[in-house]
């Protein structure tokens, strides 16, 4: 079986890239040949982790200025590759480009996979919708809201953003090591955020929050994990507000078990989300978390998450001030059990996806 994955926004170590990697890591690839089309120039480390699994990476940039060149190269890739499945990941009808070429090239299984609840190109999306609905053979989504956004009243299948429950469970030893390394006192409240530096993740809200916390002279530190086009802007704002001693940029931080275990509260004030992977990881770890009400509550399967509006930082600060320590080890164990019951255990879900592919091509 030959499968081509296409994350239309590019191959990165977060979001859709993480989703694809997580599933491939736990699938039996001995009888499956997997290729990923990177529509950007991915970092070497992002390519290497897939190549270790035996996955081939093909790079064809999907630039607005050269979309016809991209289509020609993509058509040639399909001609040579002779794929059984083309699995396109995105958040809008702009996936029509890949799905249309896959259709005219006779790819039997064409999956449109929705990963968000809105998109950046609303007008183009609206124009392409009627055409888009004629191109895919399967409609999948990371959650109900993401499916309803892209497929409206049409049928779709939910593929859960599952995670490795062992990899994200709470670890008290790793907590101590991280906090010692970063000179955090016992009573220092550590706030964490994981997300690509873009408009969607709403980092300015976090800066406003820390500004106000600083005025209240609270012993609080905010740790930011992620990269992206807005990172330098955010760093500049941090300097302008004189928050350098209160905010730590961890950039690409791969040891999420250590990071989440070391934090006291996780924050996600996104303007919109499909079904955030990080919310699953945080619940597995048992950490108390605050998410914006703009995020679908489908990602919540425990009582570790609180949702608040993002029209005022004061409500978030009040929630942070009301924080009280819990037995994280016990809470993590309890939440892992709930994750497995809610279809968020990657070992179980990867096997289901593997069987679904086989069923689709008639094996």
């Amino acid at each position: 079986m030959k499968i081509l994955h296409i994350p239309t926004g590019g191959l990165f170590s977060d979001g859709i890239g993480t989703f694809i990697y997580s599933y491939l890591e736990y699938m039996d690839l001995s009888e499956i040949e997997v290729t990923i089309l990177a529509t950007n120039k991915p970092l070497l480390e992002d390519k290497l982790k897939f190549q270790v699994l035996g996955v081939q990476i093909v790079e064809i940039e999907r630039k607005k200025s050269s979309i016809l060149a991209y289509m020609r190269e993509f058509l040639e890739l399909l001609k040579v590759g002779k794929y059984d499945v083309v699995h396109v990941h995105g958040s809008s009808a702009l996936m029509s480009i890949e799905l249309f070429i896959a259709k005219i090239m006779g790819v039997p299984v064409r999956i449109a996979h929705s990963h968000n609840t809105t998109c950046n190109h609303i007008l183009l999306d609206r124009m392409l919708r009627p055409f888009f609905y004629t191109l895919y053979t399967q409609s999948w989504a990371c959650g109900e809201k993401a499916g309803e956004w892209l497929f409206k009243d049409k049928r779709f299948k939910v593929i859960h953003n599952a995670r490795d429950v062992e990899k994200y469970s709470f670890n008290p030893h790793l907590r101590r090591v991280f906090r010692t390394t970063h000179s955090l006192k016992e009573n220092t409240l550590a706030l964490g955020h994981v997300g690509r530096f873009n408009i969607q993740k709403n980092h300015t809200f976090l800066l406003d929050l820390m500004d106000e916390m600083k005025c209240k002279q609270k012993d609080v530190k905010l740790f930011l994990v992620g990269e992206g086009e807005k990172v330098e802007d955010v760093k500049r704002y941090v300097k302008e507000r004189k928050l350098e001693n209160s905010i730590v940029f961890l950039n690409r931080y791969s040891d999420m078990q250590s990071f989440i275990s070391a934090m006291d509260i996780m924050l996600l004030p996104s303007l919109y989300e499909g079904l955030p992977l990080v919310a699953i990881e945080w619940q597995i770890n048992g950490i108390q978390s605050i998410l914006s009400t703009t995020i679908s509550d489908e990602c919540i399967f425990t009582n570790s998450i609180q949702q608040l509006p993002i029209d005022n930082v004061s409500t978030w600060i009040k929630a942070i001030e009301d924080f009280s320590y819990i037995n994280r080890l016990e809470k993590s164990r309890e939440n892992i059990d709930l994750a497995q019951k809610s279809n968020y255990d990657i070992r179980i879900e990867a096997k289901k996806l593997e069987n679904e592919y086989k069923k689709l091509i008639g094996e």
Side-chain angles (χ1 to χ4, degrees), residues 193 195-199 201-208 210 222-244 247-249:
H193 170 81
R196 188 162 181 77
F197 282 82
N198 57 23
I199 293 170
K201 299 300 180 181
N202 199 15
H203 287 87
T204 52
F205 182 89
L206 295 173
L207 301 189
D208 291 341
M210 290 303 292
L222 172 65
F223 290 81
L224 302 174
V225 172
E227 295 180 312
E229 60 273 16
K230 296 288 183 183
V231 66
E232 292 307 319
D233 291 341
V234 174
K235 286 180 178 179
R236 190 174 66 253
Y237 296 151
V238 166
K239 280 188 177 180
E240 287 172 0
R241 299 182 187 208
K242 297 181 171 55
L243 291 169
E244 298 99 316
I247 297 178
V248 180
F249 291 85

Side-chain angles (χ1 to χ4, degrees), residues 16 19 23 87-92 95 111-117 132 136 138-152 154-162 274-276 298 343-344 349 353:
I16 293 170
F19 170 89
Y23 269 88
H87 188 159
V88 189
H89 304 261
S91 58
S92 75
M95 288 189 275
I111 302 166
H113 195 149
S114 176
H115 286 267
N116 221 319
T117 54
F132 169 72
Y136 56 78
Q138 267 67 40
S139 47
W140 291 359
C142 64
E144 294 294 334
K145 297 286 174 62
E148 289 165 7
W149 148 253
L150 189 56
F151 304 112
K152 299 298 181 185
K154 297 168 178 58
R155 283 187 179 182
F156 59 87
K157 181 182 182 67
V158 172
I159 307 295
H160 293 90
N161 283 356
L275 198 153
E298 292 174 78
N343 303 310
Y344 286 115
E349 299 309 304
L353 182 59

Side-chain angles (χ1 to χ4, degrees), residues 85-102:
V85 178
V86 166
H87 188 159
V88 189
H89 304 261
S91 58
S92 75
L94 270 70
M95 288 189 275
S96 296
I97 295 170
E98 289 79 13
L99 291 167
F100 171 66
I101 295 172

Side-chain angles (χ1 to χ4, degrees), residues 269-283:
S270 300
L271 300 176
Y272 56 88
E273 292 276 359
L275 198 153
L277 286 165
V278 291
I280 309 304
E281 298 166 3
W282 299 348
Q283 288 173 96

Side-chain angles (χ1 to χ4, degrees), residues 31-59:
E31 296 180 359
I32 305 173
E33 184 181 314
V34 180
T35 302
I36 297 176
L37 172 58
T39 60
N40 61 324
K41 287 190 178 296
L43 295 173
L44 179 60
E45 51 262 53
D46 289 337
K47 292 194 289 185
L48 286 176
K49 68 178 186 179
F50 282 102
Q51 289 167 349
V52 166
L53 298 178
V55 174
Q56 182 187 5
I57 307 294
V58 175
E59 296 177 38

Side-chain angles (χ1 to χ4, degrees), residues 46-302:
D46 289 337
K47 292 194 289 185
L48 286 176
K49 68 178 186 179
F50 282 102
Q51 289 167 349
V52 166
L53 298 178
V55 174
Q56 182 187 5
I57 307 294
V58 175
E59 296 177 38
I60 308 175
E61 281 202 86
R62 193 184 197 243
K63 290 181 178 177
K64 291 178 188 175
S65 58
S66 57
I67 196 70
L68 288 176
Y70 167 76
M71 291 171 72
R72 281 195 300 270
E73 288 186 62
F74 178 56
L75 191 146
E76 190 61 32
L77 173 65
L78 294 189
K79 192 185 293 182
V80 173
K82 294 183 170 53
Y83 297 100
D84 302 297
V85 178
V86 166
H87 188 159
V88 189
H89 304 261
S91 58
S92 75
L94 270 70
M95 288 189 275
S96 296
I97 295 170
E98 289 79 13
L99 291 167
F100 171 66
I101 295 172
K103 184 175 182 177
I104 64 172
M105 290 302 293
V107 178
V109 179
R110 303 178 301 279
I111 302 166
H113 195 149
S114 176
H115 286 267
N116 221 319
T117 54
T118 188
C119 69
N120 295 325
H121 308 283
I122 297 291
L123 185 60
L124 253 179
D125 169 68
R126 196 177 298 148
M127 289 169 60
L128 286 168
R129 287 287 180 109
F131 182 52
F132 169 72
Y133 294 134
T134 68
L135 300 175
Y136 56 78
T137 59
Q138 267 67 40
S139 47
W140 291 359
C142 64
E144 294 294 334
K145 297 286 174 62
E148 289 165 7
W149 148 253
L150 189 56
F151 304 112
K152 299 298 181 185
D153 55 353
K154 297 168 178 58
R155 283 187 179 182
F156 59 87
K157 181 182 182 67
V158 172
I159 307 295
H160 293 90
N161 283 356
R163 312 303 285 138
D164 183 334
V165 296
E166 296 304 320
K167 190 183 289 185
Y168 296 99
S169 62
F170 177 71
N171 187 308
H173 170 68
L174 294 179
R175 175 182 172 86
R176 284 191 296 272
V177 171
F178 183 100
R179 291 180 73 94
T180 300
T181 302
H182 291 274
S183 304
L184 293 175
K185 293 181 287 195
E186 191 65 34
N187 61 341
T188 300
L189 191 65
L191 309 178
H193 170 81
V194 180
R196 188 162 181 77
F197 282 82
N198 57 23
I199 293 170
Q200 174 189 349
K201 299 300 180 181
N202 199 15
H203 287 87
T204 52
F205 182 89
L206 295 173
L207 301 189
D208 291 341
L209 185 149
M210 290 303 292
D211 230 348
E212 200 162 320
M213 295 290 277
K214 181 186 172 188
C215 291
K216 289 172 173 263
Q217 297 184 322
K218 299 289 184 182
D219 185 8
V220 179
K221 274 208 169 183
L222 172 65
F223 290 81
L224 302 174
V225 172
E227 295 180 312
E229 60 273 16
K230 296 288 183 183
V231 66
E232 292 307 319
D233 291 341
V234 174
K235 286 180 178 179
R236 190 174 66 253
Y237 296 151
V238 166
K239 280 188 177 180
E240 287 172 0
R241 299 182 187 208
K242 297 181 171 55
L243 291 169
E244 298 99 316
N245 295 328
S246 305
I247 297 178
V248 180
F249 291 85
L250 293 176
N251 305 317
R252 290 172 63 90
Y253 196 86
S254 58
D255 187 358
M256 281 294 109
Q257 187 179 29
S258 290
F259 174 65
I260 304 169
S261 294
M263 297 297 104
D264 298 306
I265 305 175
M266 297 299 291
L267 308 173
L268 192 66
S270 300
L271 300 176
Y272 56 88
E273 292 276 359
L275 198 153
L277 286 165
V278 291
I280 309 304
E281 298 166 3
W282 299 348
Q283 288 173 96
I284 289 168
N285 191 270
I287 191 169
Q288 296 177 62
S289 308
I290 307 174
L291 274 59
S292 59
T293 50
T294 51
I295 298 171
S296 168
D297 60 7
E298 292 174 78
C299 65
I300 302 173
F301 56 90
T302 72

